[in-house]
């Protein structure tokens, strides 16, 4: 698009300002000028493209680590709801994570997870199980549950979703660590499935 000033000229006559269009051939002159500018921009981009591609590749595939403290841990759960996934995997002690995040928040989170049709697959420690119906493993709650072997202890809570693995401390430390890495997530998924096989 061209501005009015590129197509219409102005001159002052006494106290009046008179406007008149430029000759039609000016359009071709403007087009050639813009073509020249575009060619110059293409040359500049072509020169820096290899460097941009290198930066993009490094940032896209490089693993990322993020730390969350206290109530910021809720941001991890919010991220799960926004992730392009249809299932999230959990390992941990239900009562402890509820004590960190709060019953009201967890109730609301579970309902929103269900509304987004994200299934939950979890391995839990039976002695730390919640008696609340909303935490039970049924199709109604889009959740599958198995209980880890009796000698299994899990003071941290582990979440696996997409290419992300979150590790949450559920004691006095109260912090969360999220590693975004395709390879690490794949490793943890394999570990999860091995534990799933020996859980009941």
């Amino acid at each position: 698009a061209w501005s009015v000033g590129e197509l219409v000229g102005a001159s002052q006559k006494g106290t009046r300002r008179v406007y008149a269009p430029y000759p039609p051939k000016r359009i071709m002159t403007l087009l050639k000028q813009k073509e020249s500018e575009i060619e110059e921009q293409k040359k500049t981009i072509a020169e820096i493209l290899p460097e941009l591609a290198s930066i993009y590749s490094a940032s896209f595939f490089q693993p990322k680590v993020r730390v969350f403290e206290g109530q910021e841990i809720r941001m991890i759960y919010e991220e799960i709801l926004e992730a392009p996934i249809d299932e999230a995997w959990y390992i941990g002690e239900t009562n402890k994570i509820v004590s960190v995040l709060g019953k009201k928040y967890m109730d609301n989170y579970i309902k929103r997870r269900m509304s987004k049709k994200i299934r939950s697959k979890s391995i839990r420690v039976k002695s730390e199980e919640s008696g609340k119906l909303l935490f039970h493993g049924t199709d109604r709650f889009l959740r599958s549950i198995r209980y880890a072997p009796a000698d299994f202890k899990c003071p941290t809570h582990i979440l696996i979703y997409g290419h992300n693995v979150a590790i949450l401390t559920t004691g006095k430390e109260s912090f969360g660590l999220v590693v975004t890495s395709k390879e690490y997530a794949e490793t943890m998924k394999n570990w999860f499935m091995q534990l799933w096989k020996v859980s009941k």
Side-chain angles (χ1 to χ4, degrees):
W2 292 302
S3 65
V4 172
E6 289 178 304
L7 299 176
V8 178
S11 60
Q12 196 75 28
K13 287 190 178 181
T15 57
R16 291 186 305 161
R17 195 166 179 78
V18 179
Y19 295 90
Y22 287 119
K25 66 180 182 180
R26 180 173 173 81
I27 294 175
M28 288 304 298
T29 303
L30 289 170
L31 282 173
K32 287 178 182 177
Q33 183 180 330
K34 289 193 180 294
E35 278 180 357
S36 177
E37 290 172 0
I38 290 171
E39 285 303 316
E40 195 63 37
Q41 290 171 353
K42 284 168 67 177
K43 284 180 185 177
T44 302
I45 291 172
E47 288 173 3
I48 65 172
L49 201 56
E51 187 177 350
L52 288 174
S54 174
I55 293 170
Y56 172 78
S57 296
S59 63
F60 187 78
F61 293 105
Q62 185 176 3
K64 297 175 184 175
V65 178
R66 292 169 288 152
V67 177
F68 301 82
E69 295 182 314
Q71 291 301 304
E72 290 178 353
I73 292 174
R74 292 180 177 182
M75 293 170 64
I76 299 172
Y77 281 77
E78 295 301 315
E79 186 173 276
I80 291 172
L81 296 179
E82 297 304 319
I85 59 172
D86 55 16
E87 188 170 59
W89 296 359
Y90 302 81
I91 304 165
E93 302 177 359
T94 307
N95 279 341
K96 288 184 179 177
I97 198 65
V98 170
S99 70
V100 171
L101 299 180
K103 292 179 181 179
K104 188 174 181 180
Y105 175 81
M106 286 304 296
D107 285 355
N108 181 264
Y109 166 79
I110 292 169
K111 290 171 183 175
R112 287 186 293 145
R113 175 183 62 75
M114 290 163 53
S115 71
K116 286 180 175 284
K117 307 218 180 314
I118 298 174
R119 294 194 64 86
S120 168
K121 193 170 192 173
S122 58
I123 299 170
R124 299 181 180 178
V125 175
K126 197 161 190 177
S127 62
E128 291 294 331
E129 187 66 309
S130 170
K132 194 167 184 179
L133 180 62
L134 198 58
F135 290 90
H136 290 188
T138 65
D139 281 339
R140 174 184 170 188
F141 299 115
L142 302 181
R143 186 191 289 116
S144 300
I145 289 176
R146 286 192 182 182
Y147 293 107
D151 59 348
F152 180 79
K153 300 295 179 185
C154 193
T156 59
H157 197 72
I158 298 170
L159 300 84
I160 306 168
Y161 55 102
H163 293 166
N164 303 285
V165 178
I167 303 165
L168 316 178
T169 62
T170 55
K172 294 180 180 179
E173 296 172 359
S174 189
F175 83 95
L177 181 73
V178 177
V179 179
T180 302
S181 163
K182 184 178 179 182
E183 291 183 4
Y184 183 58
E186 195 64 37
T187 299
M188 293 301 289
K189 285 176 183 176
N190 288 329
W191 175 73
F192 179 96
M193 289 311 300
Q194 293 306 310
L195 183 56
W196 182 262
K197 287 177 184 177
V198 298
S199 299
K200 297 179 180 180

